[in-house]
Amino acid sequence: MRYPMTPEYLQAAPGYLISLYEDFEADVLNDLCRRLQLSGTVTESALNQIRVLQQQGRSFPYIEKRLRQLTGSSQREIDRMFDEAIERNAAYYREVIDRSVITAPQSDWEQMLIQQTDAIRRQTQAEFRNLTQSMGFAIREGSKVKFYGIAEAYQRILDKAFLKVSSGAFDYNTVIRGAVRELTDSGVQMVHYASGWHNRVDVAARRAVMTGITQLSGRYTEQSMEFLDTRYVETTAHSGARNIQGPNGWEAHTEWQGKWFYWSKNGERDPLGRYPDFIQKTGYGYGSGLCGWNCRHSFFAVVPGINEPSYTAGELKNIDPPPFTYQGREYDAYAATQKQRQIEAKMRELKRRLIGEKASSDEKYYAATATRLNRLSEEYKAFSKAAGLRTQPERARVHGFGRSEAAKARRK
Protein backbone atom coordinates (compact mmCIF):
# COMPACT_ATOMS: atom_id res chain seq x y z
CA MET A 1 0.00 0.00 0.00
CA ARG A 2 1.50 3.34 -1.05
CA TYR A 3 1.68 6.12 1.51
CA PRO A 4 0.04 9.45 0.57
CA MET A 5 2.84 11.70 1.91
CA THR A 6 5.82 10.00 0.27
CA PRO A 7 9.24 11.76 0.30
CA GLU A 8 8.89 12.24 -3.45
CA TYR A 9 5.48 13.89 -3.04
CA LEU A 10 6.73 16.21 -0.29
CA GLN A 11 9.74 17.19 -2.37
CA ALA A 12 7.60 18.12 -5.37
CA ALA A 13 4.58 19.61 -3.58
CA PRO A 14 5.84 23.20 -3.10
CA GLY A 15 7.20 23.47 -6.67
CA TYR A 16 4.55 25.61 -8.33
CA LEU A 17 4.08 27.89 -5.32
CA ILE A 18 7.82 28.52 -5.10
CA SER A 19 7.91 29.32 -8.81
CA LEU A 20 5.38 32.12 -8.16
CA TYR A 21 7.81 33.75 -5.74
CA GLU A 22 10.74 33.22 -8.09
CA ASP A 23 8.75 34.89 -10.87
CA PHE A 24 8.05 37.86 -8.63
CA GLU A 25 11.70 38.10 -7.61
CA ALA A 26 12.88 38.17 -11.23
CA ASP A 27 10.29 40.83 -12.11
CA VAL A 28 11.47 43.04 -9.24
CA LEU A 29 15.15 42.64 -10.12
CA ASN A 30 14.51 43.30 -13.79
CA ASP A 31 12.39 46.39 -13.06
CA LEU A 32 14.91 47.91 -10.65
CA CYS A 33 17.92 47.22 -12.85
CA ARG A 34 16.13 48.64 -15.90
CA ARG A 35 15.40 51.84 -13.97
CA LEU A 36 19.07 52.12 -13.00
CA GLN A 37 20.17 52.05 -16.66
CA LEU A 38 20.33 55.73 -17.58
CA SER A 39 22.34 57.65 -20.17
CA GLY A 40 25.63 55.86 -19.59
CA THR A 41 27.73 59.01 -19.30
CA VAL A 42 28.68 61.20 -16.36
CA THR A 43 26.70 64.32 -17.24
CA GLU A 44 24.48 66.72 -15.37
CA SER A 45 21.60 65.17 -17.30
CA ALA A 46 22.47 61.75 -15.94
CA LEU A 47 22.69 63.08 -12.40
CA ASN A 48 19.33 64.77 -12.86
CA GLN A 49 17.83 61.46 -13.98
CA ILE A 50 19.06 59.87 -10.77
CA ARG A 51 17.52 62.73 -8.78
CA VAL A 52 14.18 62.14 -10.51
CA LEU A 53 14.38 58.41 -9.75
CA GLN A 54 15.24 59.23 -6.13
CA GLN A 55 12.10 61.32 -5.86
CA GLN A 56 10.08 58.41 -7.23
CA GLY A 57 12.04 55.76 -5.38
CA ARG A 58 9.43 55.00 -2.75
CA SER A 59 6.54 54.75 -5.21
CA PHE A 60 6.31 51.29 -6.70
CA PRO A 61 2.78 50.82 -8.09
CA TYR A 62 3.98 48.03 -10.39
CA ILE A 63 5.66 46.07 -7.60
CA GLU A 64 2.71 46.64 -5.27
CA LYS A 65 0.37 45.31 -7.97
CA ARG A 66 2.57 42.22 -8.43
CA LEU A 67 2.56 41.64 -4.67
CA ARG A 68 -1.25 41.66 -4.61
CA GLN A 69 -1.32 39.19 -7.49
CA LEU A 70 1.25 37.00 -5.73
CA THR A 71 -0.75 36.94 -2.50
CA GLY A 72 -3.94 35.92 -4.30
CA SER A 73 -2.19 33.23 -6.36
CA SER A 74 -0.39 31.76 -3.35
CA GLN A 75 -3.62 31.47 -1.38
CA ARG A 76 -5.33 29.62 -4.25
CA GLU A 77 -2.35 27.27 -4.58
CA ILE A 78 -2.28 26.58 -0.82
CA ASP A 79 -5.99 25.68 -0.99
CA ARG A 80 -5.31 23.30 -3.88
CA MET A 81 -2.39 21.58 -2.09
CA PHE A 82 -4.29 21.17 1.15
CA ASP A 83 -7.34 19.75 -0.62
CA GLU A 84 -5.07 17.23 -2.35
CA ALA A 85 -3.26 16.36 0.89
CA ILE A 86 -6.57 15.85 2.71
CA GLU A 87 -7.84 13.48 0.04
CA ARG A 88 -4.58 11.49 -0.12
CA ASN A 89 -4.56 11.01 3.67
CA ALA A 90 -8.26 10.16 3.81
CA ALA A 91 -7.91 7.55 1.03
CA TYR A 92 -4.95 5.93 2.79
CA TYR A 93 -6.70 5.60 6.14
CA ARG A 94 -9.90 4.32 4.61
CA GLU A 95 -7.84 1.43 3.26
CA VAL A 96 -6.05 0.90 6.60
CA ILE A 97 -9.41 0.80 8.38
CA ASP A 98 -10.82 -1.68 5.87
CA ARG A 99 -7.79 -3.92 6.34
CA SER A 100 -8.25 -3.77 10.08
CA VAL A 101 -11.78 -5.15 9.66
CA ILE A 102 -13.27 -2.13 11.37
CA THR A 103 -16.46 -0.49 10.24
CA ALA A 104 -15.56 2.41 8.00
CA PRO A 105 -15.82 5.78 9.77
CA GLN A 106 -18.90 7.85 9.32
CA SER A 107 -18.67 10.96 7.16
CA ASP A 108 -18.78 13.19 10.27
CA TRP A 109 -15.44 11.62 11.38
CA GLU A 110 -13.75 12.81 8.23
CA GLN A 111 -15.59 16.12 8.36
CA MET A 112 -14.22 16.69 11.87
CA LEU A 113 -10.72 16.14 10.58
CA ILE A 114 -11.26 18.53 7.69
CA GLN A 115 -12.40 21.21 10.14
CA GLN A 116 -9.32 20.65 12.27
CA THR A 117 -6.99 20.83 9.30
CA ASP A 118 -8.64 24.05 8.13
CA ALA A 119 -6.96 25.71 11.10
CA ILE A 120 -3.59 24.54 9.75
CA ARG A 121 -4.56 25.81 6.29
CA ARG A 122 -5.36 29.26 7.70
CA GLN A 123 -2.08 29.29 9.64
CA THR A 124 -0.12 28.49 6.47
CA GLN A 125 -1.94 31.19 4.49
CA ALA A 126 -1.23 33.72 7.22
CA GLU A 127 2.46 32.81 7.09
CA PHE A 128 2.51 33.46 3.34
CA ARG A 129 0.77 36.81 3.76
CA ASN A 130 3.41 37.75 6.32
CA LEU A 131 6.10 36.51 3.95
CA THR A 132 4.98 38.86 1.16
CA GLN A 133 4.88 41.77 3.59
CA SER A 134 8.39 41.03 4.86
CA MET A 135 10.25 40.74 1.57
CA GLY A 136 13.26 42.89 0.83
CA PHE A 137 17.00 42.82 0.18
CA ALA A 138 19.63 41.60 2.63
CA ILE A 139 22.64 43.65 1.50
CA ARG A 140 26.18 43.24 2.78
CA GLU A 141 27.73 46.41 4.15
CA GLY A 142 31.35 45.72 5.04
CA SER A 143 31.40 42.71 7.34
CA LYS A 144 27.71 42.95 8.23
CA VAL A 145 24.47 42.17 6.43
CA LYS A 146 21.63 44.67 6.74
CA PHE A 147 18.05 44.09 5.68
CA TYR A 148 16.10 46.69 3.68
CA GLY A 149 12.55 46.68 2.36
CA ILE A 150 12.28 46.63 -1.44
CA ALA A 151 11.54 50.35 -1.81
CA GLU A 152 14.05 51.27 0.89
CA ALA A 153 16.79 49.19 -0.73
CA TYR A 154 16.21 50.81 -4.11
CA GLN A 155 16.26 54.28 -2.53
CA ARG A 156 19.47 53.51 -0.67
CA ILE A 157 21.23 52.23 -3.79
CA LEU A 158 20.15 55.32 -5.75
CA ASP A 159 21.44 57.58 -2.99
CA LYS A 160 24.79 55.82 -3.02
CA ALA A 161 24.99 55.98 -6.81
CA PHE A 162 24.24 59.71 -6.80
CA LEU A 163 26.89 60.46 -4.18
CA LYS A 164 29.56 58.40 -5.94
CA VAL A 165 28.91 59.89 -9.37
CA SER A 166 28.59 63.48 -8.14
CA SER A 167 31.89 63.17 -6.24
CA GLY A 168 33.71 62.57 -9.52
CA ALA A 169 35.71 59.76 -7.92
CA PHE A 170 33.84 56.95 -9.68
CA ASP A 171 33.05 56.16 -13.27
CA TYR A 172 29.31 56.30 -13.97
CA ASN A 173 29.11 52.84 -15.56
CA THR A 174 31.10 51.35 -12.68
CA VAL A 175 28.62 52.84 -10.18
CA ILE A 176 25.58 51.49 -12.04
CA ARG A 177 27.26 48.09 -12.47
CA GLY A 178 27.92 47.94 -8.73
CA ALA A 179 24.31 48.84 -7.95
CA VAL A 180 23.00 46.13 -10.28
CA ARG A 181 25.41 43.58 -8.79
CA GLU A 182 24.35 44.50 -5.26
CA LEU A 183 20.69 43.92 -6.05
CA THR A 184 21.06 40.69 -8.01
CA ASP A 185 23.60 39.12 -5.66
CA SER A 186 21.33 39.73 -2.69
CA GLY A 187 18.14 38.58 -4.36
CA VAL A 188 14.77 39.13 -2.76
CA GLN A 189 14.74 37.74 0.75
CA MET A 190 12.50 38.03 3.78
CA VAL A 191 12.92 38.66 7.49
CA HIS A 192 12.18 35.53 9.49
CA TYR A 193 10.93 35.85 13.08
CA ALA A 194 11.54 38.74 15.46
CA SER A 195 15.25 37.95 15.68
CA GLY A 196 15.79 39.62 12.31
CA TRP A 197 17.15 36.42 10.74
CA HIS A 198 16.63 36.43 6.98
CA ASN A 199 16.09 33.67 4.44
CA ARG A 200 15.77 33.40 0.70
CA VAL A 201 12.11 33.71 -0.30
CA ASP A 202 12.08 30.29 -2.01
CA VAL A 203 13.54 28.67 1.13
CA ALA A 204 10.94 30.34 3.37
CA ALA A 205 8.10 29.39 1.01
CA ARG A 206 9.23 25.76 0.83
CA ARG A 207 9.50 25.54 4.61
CA ALA A 208 6.02 27.01 5.12
CA VAL A 209 4.44 24.54 2.68
CA MET A 210 6.27 21.52 4.10
CA THR A 211 5.36 22.50 7.66
CA GLY A 212 1.68 22.93 6.81
CA ILE A 213 1.36 19.66 4.90
CA THR A 214 3.24 17.59 7.48
CA GLN A 215 1.16 19.13 10.28
CA LEU A 216 -1.98 18.19 8.38
CA SER A 217 -0.71 14.65 7.84
CA GLY A 218 0.18 14.42 11.53
CA ARG A 219 -3.36 15.32 12.55
CA TYR A 220 -4.73 12.55 10.31
CA THR A 221 -2.28 10.09 11.84
CA GLU A 222 -3.18 11.02 15.43
CA GLN A 223 -6.92 10.78 14.79
CA SER A 224 -6.51 7.50 12.95
CA MET A 225 -4.50 6.06 15.84
CA GLU A 226 -7.43 6.80 18.13
CA PHE A 227 -9.93 5.24 15.74
CA LEU A 228 -7.75 2.16 15.10
CA ASP A 229 -6.87 1.86 18.80
CA THR A 230 -3.14 1.68 18.02
CA ARG A 231 -0.08 3.52 19.33
CA TYR A 232 2.26 2.29 16.59
CA VAL A 233 3.57 4.33 13.67
CA GLU A 234 5.93 3.79 10.75
CA THR A 235 8.22 6.45 9.26
CA THR A 236 8.87 6.76 5.53
CA ALA A 237 12.34 6.39 4.02
CA HIS A 238 14.29 7.72 1.06
CA SER A 239 17.77 7.59 -0.41
CA GLY A 240 20.12 10.43 0.50
CA ALA A 241 18.60 11.11 3.92
CA ARG A 242 20.60 13.19 6.40
CA ASN A 243 23.26 11.00 8.06
CA ILE A 244 25.03 13.53 10.30
CA GLN A 245 24.46 12.82 13.99
CA GLY A 246 23.84 15.54 16.57
CA PRO A 247 23.54 15.93 20.35
CA ASN A 248 19.96 14.64 20.62
CA GLY A 249 20.42 11.38 18.77
CA TRP A 250 17.73 11.99 16.17
CA GLU A 251 19.57 14.42 13.87
CA ALA A 252 20.76 11.57 11.64
CA HIS A 253 17.51 10.70 9.88
CA THR A 254 19.05 7.52 8.49
CA GLU A 255 18.88 6.05 12.01
CA TRP A 256 15.08 6.09 12.26
CA GLN A 257 13.72 6.23 8.71
CA GLY A 258 11.56 3.35 7.49
CA LYS A 259 11.10 1.86 10.99
CA TRP A 260 8.24 1.19 13.42
CA PHE A 261 7.86 2.99 16.76
CA TYR A 262 5.60 3.08 19.78
CA TRP A 263 4.08 6.53 20.44
CA SER A 264 3.68 6.56 24.21
CA LYS A 265 1.19 8.85 25.92
CA ASN A 266 3.03 9.31 29.21
CA GLY A 267 6.46 7.82 28.61
CA GLU A 268 5.33 4.21 29.08
CA ARG A 269 7.17 1.40 27.31
CA ASP A 270 5.89 -0.54 24.33
CA PRO A 271 3.58 -3.30 25.68
CA LEU A 272 4.92 -5.65 23.00
CA GLY A 273 8.50 -4.90 24.05
CA ARG A 274 9.57 -4.59 20.39
CA TYR A 275 9.54 -0.94 19.34
CA PRO A 276 11.41 2.15 20.64
CA ASP A 277 9.75 5.37 21.74
CA PHE A 278 8.61 7.47 18.78
CA ILE A 279 9.36 10.98 20.07
CA GLN A 280 12.66 10.09 21.76
CA LYS A 281 14.08 8.36 18.70
CA THR A 282 12.80 10.55 15.84
CA GLY A 283 12.66 13.99 17.44
CA TYR A 284 9.15 14.57 16.07
CA GLY A 285 8.15 18.12 16.97
CA TYR A 286 11.74 19.42 16.91
CA GLY A 287 13.37 21.33 14.06
CA SER A 288 16.19 18.85 13.58
CA GLY A 289 13.96 15.79 13.77
CA LEU A 290 11.13 14.12 11.89
CA CYS A 291 8.99 16.62 9.91
CA GLY A 292 11.41 19.39 10.89
CA TRP A 293 13.54 21.71 8.76
CA ASN A 294 13.56 20.57 5.13
CA CYS A 295 12.62 17.04 6.20
CA ARG A 296 10.90 14.94 3.53
CA HIS A 297 9.93 12.13 5.90
CA SER A 298 6.48 11.58 7.33
CA PHE A 299 4.82 8.88 9.46
CA PHE A 300 1.62 6.84 9.55
CA ALA A 301 -0.43 4.75 11.92
CA VAL A 302 0.05 0.99 11.67
CA VAL A 303 -1.53 -1.98 13.41
CA PRO A 304 0.76 -4.91 14.39
CA GLY A 305 -0.61 -8.13 12.93
CA ILE A 306 -2.51 -6.24 10.24
CA ASN A 307 0.17 -4.12 8.58
CA GLU A 308 3.60 -5.31 7.51
CA PRO A 309 6.74 -3.12 7.56
CA SER A 310 7.39 -1.46 4.23
CA TYR A 311 11.15 -2.06 4.49
CA THR A 312 13.32 -4.92 5.67
CA ALA A 313 16.49 -4.23 7.63
CA GLY A 314 18.51 -5.16 4.55
CA GLU A 315 16.62 -2.76 2.32
CA LEU A 316 17.18 0.12 4.72
CA LYS A 317 20.86 -0.73 5.03
CA ASN A 318 21.29 -0.61 1.26
CA ILE A 319 18.87 2.21 0.46
CA ASP A 320 21.76 4.51 -0.49
CA PRO A 321 24.15 3.87 -3.38
CA PRO A 322 27.81 3.28 -2.43
CA PRO A 323 30.11 6.32 -1.93
CA PHE A 324 31.97 7.64 -4.95
CA THR A 325 34.94 9.92 -5.61
CA TYR A 326 34.72 13.13 -7.63
CA GLN A 327 37.73 15.38 -8.22
CA GLY A 328 39.61 13.77 -5.36
CA ARG A 329 36.81 13.99 -2.78
CA GLU A 330 34.61 11.16 -1.56
CA TYR A 331 30.83 11.72 -1.42
CA ASP A 332 28.12 9.62 0.15
CA ALA A 333 24.47 9.93 -0.95
CA TYR A 334 23.61 12.74 1.47
CA ALA A 335 26.72 14.80 0.67
CA ALA A 336 26.04 14.33 -3.05
CA THR A 337 22.51 15.75 -2.80
CA GLN A 338 23.82 18.70 -0.76
CA LYS A 339 26.46 19.38 -3.41
CA GLN A 340 23.76 19.30 -6.09
CA ARG A 341 21.68 21.85 -4.17
CA GLN A 342 24.73 24.13 -3.79
CA ILE A 343 25.45 24.10 -7.52
CA GLU A 344 21.79 24.74 -8.35
CA ALA A 345 21.70 27.72 -5.96
CA LYS A 346 24.82 29.20 -7.57
CA MET A 347 23.32 28.71 -11.04
CA ARG A 348 20.20 30.62 -9.96
CA GLU A 349 22.37 33.40 -8.57
CA LEU A 350 24.29 33.75 -11.85
CA LYS A 351 21.06 33.75 -13.88
CA ARG A 352 19.64 36.55 -11.72
CA ARG A 353 22.87 38.46 -12.26
CA LEU A 354 22.57 37.99 -16.04
CA ILE A 355 19.01 39.35 -15.93
CA GLY A 356 20.28 42.46 -14.18
CA GLU A 357 23.27 42.90 -16.48
CA LYS A 358 21.06 42.51 -19.54
CA ALA A 359 18.57 45.07 -18.20
CA SER A 360 21.43 47.53 -17.57
CA SER A 361 23.01 46.82 -21.00
CA ASP A 362 26.30 45.75 -19.40
CA GLU A 363 27.55 43.52 -22.22
CA LYS A 364 31.13 43.18 -20.94
CA TYR A 365 30.14 41.82 -17.56
CA TYR A 366 27.23 39.90 -19.06
CA ALA A 367 29.75 37.91 -21.14
CA ALA A 368 31.92 37.17 -18.10
CA THR A 369 28.94 36.01 -16.04
CA ALA A 370 27.63 33.91 -18.94
CA THR A 371 31.00 32.13 -19.15
CA ARG A 372 30.82 31.31 -15.42
CA LEU A 373 27.28 29.98 -15.81
CA ASN A 374 28.24 27.78 -18.77
CA ARG A 375 31.15 26.26 -16.85
CA LEU A 376 28.97 25.69 -13.79
CA SER A 377 26.28 24.03 -15.92
CA GLU A 378 28.84 21.59 -17.29
CA GLU A 379 30.11 20.87 -13.78
CA TYR A 380 26.53 20.23 -12.66
CA LYS A 381 26.03 17.64 -15.39
CA ALA A 382 29.39 15.98 -14.72
CA PHE A 383 28.87 15.80 -10.97
CA SER A 384 25.31 14.49 -11.27
CA LYS A 385 26.48 11.79 -13.66
CA ALA A 386 29.31 10.75 -11.33
CA ALA A 387 26.87 10.66 -8.39
CA GLY A 388 24.24 8.69 -10.31
CA LEU A 389 21.72 11.46 -9.65
CA ARG A 390 19.34 12.80 -12.24
CA THR A 391 19.76 16.47 -13.05
CA GLN A 392 16.90 18.67 -11.90
CA PRO A 393 16.91 21.71 -14.19
CA GLU A 394 13.71 22.96 -12.59
CA ARG A 395 15.69 23.65 -9.41
CA ALA A 396 17.99 26.02 -11.30
CA ARG A 397 15.10 27.76 -13.04
CA VAL A 398 14.81 31.56 -12.82
CA HIS A 399 11.86 33.44 -14.23
CA GLY A 400 12.93 35.80 -17.01
CA PHE A 401 15.79 33.51 -18.00
CA GLY A 402 14.18 31.30 -20.62
CA ARG A 403 15.40 29.48 -23.71
CA SER A 404 16.40 32.58 -25.65
CA GLU A 405 18.36 33.96 -22.68
CA ALA A 406 20.03 30.59 -22.14
CA ALA A 407 20.96 30.40 -25.82
CA LYS A 408 22.45 33.91 -25.71
CA ALA A 409 24.45 33.02 -22.60
CA ARG A 410 25.85 29.88 -24.26
CA ARG A 411 27.09 31.94 -27.21
CA LYS A 412 29.17 34.20 -24.99
Side-chain angles (χ1 to χ4, degrees):
M1 182 167 55
R2 185 169 177 79
Y3 295 136
M5 301 291 109
T6 64
E8 294 77 18
Y9 173 81
L10 290 173
Q11 182 179 22
Y16 177 71
L17 189 57
I18 290 169
S19 73
L20 294 175
Y21 283 81
E22 291 173 339
D23 290 353
F24 170 78
E25 174 188 40
D27 282 351
V28 169
L29 291 172
N30 187 67
D31 185 65
L32 298 187
C33 292
R34 178 180 55 79
R35 291 172 186 241
L36 283 168
Q37 174 57 26
L38 304 176
S39 65
T41 58
V42 185
T43 64
E44 182 60 32
S45 174
L47 292 178
N48 187 60
Q49 286 179 294
I50 295 181
R51 292 192 192 99
V52 171
L53 286 173
Q54 283 178 307
Q55 294 168 2
Q56 299 174 348
R58 294 189 184 275
S59 177
F60 289 90
Y62 170 74
I63 293 174
E64 291 170 355
K65 177 182 177 182
R66 289 286 287 117
L67 270 174
R68 289 194 297 271
Q69 292 172 343
L70 176 63
T71 301
S73 297
S74 64
Q75 289 181 348
R76 288 191 296 271
E77 179 62 14
I78 289 169
D79 282 338
R80 185 198 66 78
M81 286 190 298
F82 270 65
D83 289 341
E84 180 180 356
I86 288 170
E87 178 53 35
R88 291 171 72 102
N89 275 282
Y92 170 79
Y93 283 112
R94 289 189 204 109
E95 186 173 351
V96 171
I97 289 166
D98 288 343
R99 287 191 175 193
S100 301
V101 197
I102 297 177
T103 303
Q106 300 298 314
S107 59
D108 58 350
W109 183 84
E110 289 191 35
Q111 188 61 39
M112 178 184 66
L113 266 174
I114 291 173
Q115 291 171 354
Q116 291 176 345
T117 55
D118 274 346
I120 302 173
R121 184 201 307 259
R122 290 192 296 271
Q123 173 186 316
T124 304
Q125 289 175 333
E127 186 166 352
F128 271 87
R129 285 193 294 272
N130 180 65
L131 191 156
T132 57
Q133 294 167 1
S134 303
M135 288 193 294
F137 292 87
I139 298 174
R140 182 170 294 280
E141 296 182 347
S143 60
K144 297 182 179 180
V145 175
K146 188 171 181 180
F147 189 88
Y148 297 90
I150 292 176
E152 185 183 11
Y154 181 53
Q155 185 74 33
R156 170 193 165 279
I157 286 174
L158 283 173
D159 289 343
K160 188 162 69 171
F162 176 78
L163 289 173
K164 284 185 174 182
V165 173
S166 60
S167 72
F170 296 89
D171 171 74
Y172 180 85
N173 289 327
T174 300
V175 170
I176 299 303
R177 184 180 302 123
V180 170
R181 185 67 56 87
E182 230 178 341
L183 286 169
T184 56
D185 283 3
S186 164
V188 177
Q189 306 198 26
M190 53 84 68
V191 172
H192 185 54
Y193 301 127
S195 64
W197 179 257
H198 54 83
N199 282 127
R200 293 278 314 165
V201 169
D202 57 342
V203 173
R206 180 178 294 275
R207 181 180 57 241
V209 170
M210 297 282 277
T211 299
I213 291 180
T214 53
Q215 283 182 345
L216 182 153
S217 183
R219 290 299 298 141
Y220 262 89
T221 299
E222 291 179 45
Q223 288 291 331
S224 299
M225 288 170 65
E226 295 293 331
F227 190 83
L228 294 165
D229 192 25
T230 181
R231 302 299 304 172
Y232 297 93
V233 295
E234 178 182 317
T235 57
T236 59
H238 64 84
S239 174
R242 178 181 171 87
N243 58 6
I244 301 174
Q245 194 52 275
N248 299 301
W250 59 62
E251 287 82 358
H253 295 195
T254 50
E255 296 297 311
W256 46 256
Q257 70 169 351
K259 297 179 180 179
W260 283 31
F261 298 91
Y262 178 71
W263 193 344
S264 62
K265 289 185 176 180
N266 301 299
E268 71 277 10
R269 291 181 177 275
D270 170 24
L272 300 178
R274 298 173 58 186
Y275 303 109
D277 185 87
F278 175 60
I279 303 294
Q280 290 180 0
K281 290 297 183 181
T282 69
Y284 177 62
Y286 296 88
S288 58
L290 172 63
C291 297
W293 307 311
N294 295 318
C295 178
R296 290 191 283 133
H297 294 100
S298 54
F299 64 99
F300 303 93
V302 291
V303 181
I306 302 296
N307 299 101
E308 294 292 332
S310 299
Y311 298 91
T312 66
E315 288 173 334
L316 289 173
K317 183 178 179 180
N318 297 299
I319 197 170
D320 287 336
F324 68 99
T325 300
Y326 180 78
Q327 294 184 347
R329 178 182 170 183
E330 185 173 271
Y331 293 85
D332 58 25
Y334 176 70
T337 58
Q338 296 304 295
K339 176 71 172 178
Q340 252 200 346
R341 300 295 86 78
Q342 292 170 5
I343 298 176
E344 291 157 358
K346 187 63 179 179
M347 290 169 67
R348 292 195 301 272
E349 177 188 323
L350 292 176
K351 288 178 181 179
R352 289 194 302 270
R353 186 179 295 181
L354 285 172
I355 290 172
E357 290 167 346
K358 178 183 178 182
S360 60
S361 302
D362 195 336
E363 287 297 326
K364 177 182 176 182
Y365 279 80
Y366 182 96
T369 304
T371 299
R372 290 183 60 190
L373 176 61
N374 292 334
R375 290 174 179 170
L376 193 62
S377 297
E378 292 304 314
E379 179 185 351
Y380 180 64
K381 295 175 185 176
F383 178 82
S384 299
K385 182 177 180 181
L389 297 171
R390 72 175 184 87
T391 58
Q392 301 183 60
E394 67 278 4
R395 284 183 169 269
R397 172 186 175 275
V398 169
H399 176 69
F401 194 88
R403 292 183 178 180
S404 60
E405 288 78 16
K408 178 181 178 182
R410 286 195 295 270
R411 291 194 298 267
K412 294 295 181 179

